[in-house]
Amino acid sequence: MKAYRTTIAAVAALGLALAAAGCGDDGDSGDGKKITIGIKFDQPGIGLKTPSGSYTGFDVDVATYIANELGHKSGDIVWKEAKSADRETLLQRGDVDFIAASYSITPTRSEKVDFAGPYLLAHQDVLIRADDNSITKPEDLNSKKLCSVTGSTSAQNVKTRIAPDAQLQEYGGYSECLTGLENNAVDALTTDDSILAGYAAQSQFEGKFKLAGFKMSNENYGIGVPKGSELKAKINAALQKMVADGTWNQYVQKNFGPANYKNEPAPQIGVIVS
């Protein structure tokens, strides 16, 4: 019996050791183990989960580069959907290691999470039909049918501050707005220019739309990390390297180029453009 109890104890000890080793698989130690990253699943050009189950977009490319710099192989990345309303909660609960999801740095958000970056300076803009020459300045949106997604603040900002006579049309998703724009049901679609460029760059829409280039706001996209996380400094170093070695420019052209997106130069780390 003594030998039997000894064997049981040894097996139990081995099991505990294996369990302890397994607990680190989703950590951020940078040694090639699993890392969980939050991205958008429904924004072409930014973060999109394709029907085949793969992931594409600027944020996906940036996040993959960062993960590789942290020591994780691409196959070790676990992608998790980070809807706009859920991003702070995902970080605070530890559901993700970091988030790259068209995540604008704001004072309110910075009270809850930390941000590395910024890594892209976007602007609120409008997308119009390629042959439309009637909208050349923001004020021209007065009396036009302006489309945005239900619950979005973008269209309200335009209607409140710039074009109070715009006819706001709220649809369930950006794809519906694009269909309406293509079919002349609406005259313009508004949100961040990077998001608009991503949609316009889709093969079925290529050449049909153009960005107006109004730059109605500054949106500093950052990488969200849990408050006080050591990852912030490591991610900033990765972003600086990505810009320096030319990869950042490659990602911009790859994901936004077909829409003729006139992007801002890569922003300086820690410099927020107000």
Side-chain angles (χ1 to χ4, degrees):
M1 288 295 293
K2 182 177 180 180
Y4 176 75
R5 286 196 299 270
T6 301
T7 301
I8 292 294
V11 171
L14 177 60
L16 287 171
L18 290 173
C23 288
D25 285 351
D26 59 356
D28 56 18
S29 57
D31 55 6
K33 294 179 181 179
K34 295 293 184 183
I35 184 169
T36 303
I37 304 172
I39 58 170
K40 291 292 180 69
F41 277 16
D42 60 353
Q43 289 184 347
I46 299 288
L48 181 69
K49 183 178 181 179
T50 69
S52 67
S54 61
Y55 301 89
T56 64
F58 181 73
D59 283 349
V60 175
D61 289 337
V62 169
T64 300
Y65 186 101
I66 292 170
N68 291 343
E69 287 299 307
L70 294 175
H72 301 275
K73 298 177 181 178
S74 299
D76 294 325
I77 299 174
V78 177
W79 300 107
K80 188 175 183 66
E81 185 173 19
K83 295 180 179 179
S84 295
D86 299 335
R87 290 176 295 200
E88 286 85 38
T89 301
L90 289 171
L91 288 168
Q92 290 172 332
R93 286 195 315 218
D95 294 342
V96 295
D97 293 291
F98 68 82
I99 288 178
S102 55
Y103 202 2
S104 297
I105 302 171
T106 68
T108 300
R109 291 170 178 167
S110 296
E111 291 177 0
K112 301 176 182 178
V113 302
D114 284 343
F115 286 98
Y119 65 96
L120 183 73
L121 177 59
H123 306 282
Q124 185 180 343
D125 199 358
V126 296
L127 192 71
I128 58 179
R129 287 181 289 277
D131 59 356
D132 187 348
N133 297 314
S134 68
I135 301 175
T136 60
K137 57 185 181 298
E139 292 76 15
D140 290 336
L141 293 169
N142 279 305
S143 301
K144 297 289 187 179
K145 295 177 181 177
L146 179 65
C147 188
S148 194
V149 172
T150 302
S152 169
T153 60
S154 299
Q156 292 292 348
N157 288 338
V158 173
K159 190 169 175 60
T160 301
R161 299 186 297 106
I162 298 170
D165 293 329
Q167 301 172 35
L168 180 57
Q169 309 282 323
E170 291 186 302
Y171 289 7
Y174 290 117
S175 295
E176 295 173 50
C177 283
L178 283 165
T179 300
L181 188 58
E182 185 178 22
N183 297 333
N184 297 308
V186 298
D187 301 305
L189 162 61
T190 185
T191 188
D192 295 357
D193 53 7
S194 57
I195 297 173
L196 294 174
Y199 277 100
Q202 294 179 94
S203 58
Q204 68 267 36
F205 296 130
E206 194 169 343
K208 294 183 178 180
F209 307 123
K210 63 183 178 183
L211 289 161
F214 290 160
K215 299 184 178 180
M216 295 180 285
S217 72
N218 293 320
E219 307 296 335
N220 298 267
Y221 287 2
I223 304 294
V225 298
K227 202 72 175 172
S229 173
E230 295 180 356
L231 274 183
K232 178 178 177 179
K234 296 178 181 179
I235 291 174
N236 278 336
L239 292 173
Q240 289 174 328
K241 180 179 178 182
M242 182 178 64
V243 172
D245 66 18
T247 305
W248 185 88
N249 277 320
Q250 293 175 19
Y251 291 161
V252 169
Q253 291 305 312
K254 170 188 170 185
N255 292 289
F256 305 129
N260 295 317
Y261 176 50
K262 296 178 176 60
N263 63 281
E264 298 281 3
Q268 293 184 345
I269 299 299
V271 178
I272 308 300
V273 179
S274 60

